[in-house]
Amino acid sequence: QQQVKQSPQSLIVQKGGISIINCAYENTAFDYFPWYQQFPGKGPALLIAIRPDVSEKKEGRFTISFNKSAKQFSLHIMDSQPGDSATYFCAATRTGGGYQKVTFGIGTKLQVIP
Amino acid sequence: EAGVVQSPRYKIIEKKQPVAFWCNPISGHNTLYWYRQNLGQGPELLIRYENEEAVDDSQLPKDRFSAERLKGVDSTLKIQPAELGDSAVYLCASSLVGKSSYNEQFFGPGTRLTVL
């Protein structure tokens, strides 16, 4: 059973456009929601993250919108650039014993075309 | 600061053969993770170490997979014997688990395993 559902699986956006990736979760015990970016041949790297008591977080061109009641969150990439082409994973973490167990979504392969 | 180092980067073996992956975490990181990433999927945790102790190995297929983290630093993940379904990227990550609100995991580049 997929605990974190992510869509779409692939996305093509023109340079300068807005890329939007959506995720949903069921487990209300999740307490932190990071997004990871993965380039081919590399491991995932933390991009941006949000706590469930915050509705929006913005870092540069990247914004997370979080809807706690709907158990949904999304990543918006403004002014998308070809260098943003990568696979993006949403994730949800559950804290216990000082440790966060991370559950990843299936990933979205983003291609930004010139 | 050097990142998480993994070797080899690629490995091709025939089924039923053994294979081992090595990971050197970021210096000072007390927690080490092994993940498996199947094609088109997100990483899935296999095992987590706190220092040299395996504290979460519930997802590790113990009939054929084994792992060790000697002296609480480097780690080795072994598969014996390998099956066709083991073809995946094996990622190692490390973090410094402490008092901060979120203990970011830093991933290595992974080892891509192909079992023929």
Side-chain angles (χ1 to χ4, degrees):
Chain A
Q1 183 182 3
Q2 204 174 4
Q3 292 196 50
V4 180
K5 296 181 179 180
Q6 182 172 350
S7 64
Q9 287 187 246
S10 64
L11 182 61
I12 299 175
V13 173
Q14 285 212 307
K15 179 182 175 181
I18 303 173
S19 303
I20 302 175
I21 304 170
N22 300 300
C23 287
Y25 65 98
E26 288 296 325
N27 190 343
T28 55
F30 288 136
D31 54 11
Y32 203 70
F33 299 87
W35 285 86
Y36 283 81
Q37 180 187 54
Q38 185 176 29
F39 292 104
K42 304 290 186 182
L46 181 64
L47 181 65
I48 186 173
I50 196 168
R51 297 187 173 284
D53 56 350
V54 176
S55 61
E56 185 176 282
K57 183 173 182 180
K58 183 176 181 180
E59 290 184 0
R61 296 183 294 109
F62 299 89
T63 300
I64 302 176
S65 297
F66 191 87
N67 186 330
K68 188 174 182 178
S69 60
K71 292 186 283 187
Q72 296 175 347
F73 57 112
S74 60
L75 176 69
H76 295 233
I77 306 174
M78 311 299 287
D79 186 26
S80 299
Q81 299 297 313
D84 297 331
S85 298
T87 299
Y88 293 81
F89 294 94
C90 63
T93 72
R94 189 169 62 181
T95 302
Y99 156 70
Q100 291 101 2
K101 183 167 185 176
V102 184
T103 301
F104 289 86
I106 196 172
T108 296
K109 187 172 184 179
L110 171 65
Q111 184 180 1
V112 181
I113 56 176
Chain B
E1 179 183 283
V4 176
V5 179
Q6 290 188 248
S7 68
R9 293 294 313 278
Y10 306 92
K11 190 73 176 178
I12 301 175
I13 61 171
E14 293 190 345
K15 63 181 181 182
K16 300 184 182 180
Q17 294 299 306
V19 65
F21 315 124
W22 175 80
C23 173
N24 179 240
I26 292 174
S27 178
H29 280 193
N30 54 359
T31 303
L32 184 145
Y33 316 76
W34 283 102
Y35 287 86
R36 177 167 58 190
Q37 186 175 21
N38 292 314
L39 187 64
Q41 303 286 323
E44 294 179 327
L45 181 69
L46 290 173
I47 189 169
R48 173 175 68 95
Y49 281 92
E50 284 186 14
N51 299 305
E52 64 273 11
E53 183 182 0
V55 294
D56 183 358
D57 63 356
S58 57
Q59 300 303 311
L60 189 73
K62 297 181 183 64
D63 56 336
R64 297 183 300 107
F65 286 66
S66 64
E68 61 182 7
R69 190 183 185 197
L70 299 177
K71 300 181 181 179
V73 181
D74 294 0
S75 179
T76 302
L77 178 68
K78 298 178 181 177
I79 309 175
Q80 182 171 12
E83 297 179 352
L84 294 177
D86 296 331
S87 295
V89 174
Y90 291 82
L91 294 163
C92 179
S94 69
S95 67
L96 179 60
V97 176
K99 297 181 179 178
S100 65
S101 57
Y102 181 64
N103 308 123
E104 180 181 350
Q105 295 182 25
F106 294 83
F107 285 83
T111 296
R112 181 176 294 276
L113 173 67
T114 302
V115 182
L116 302 177

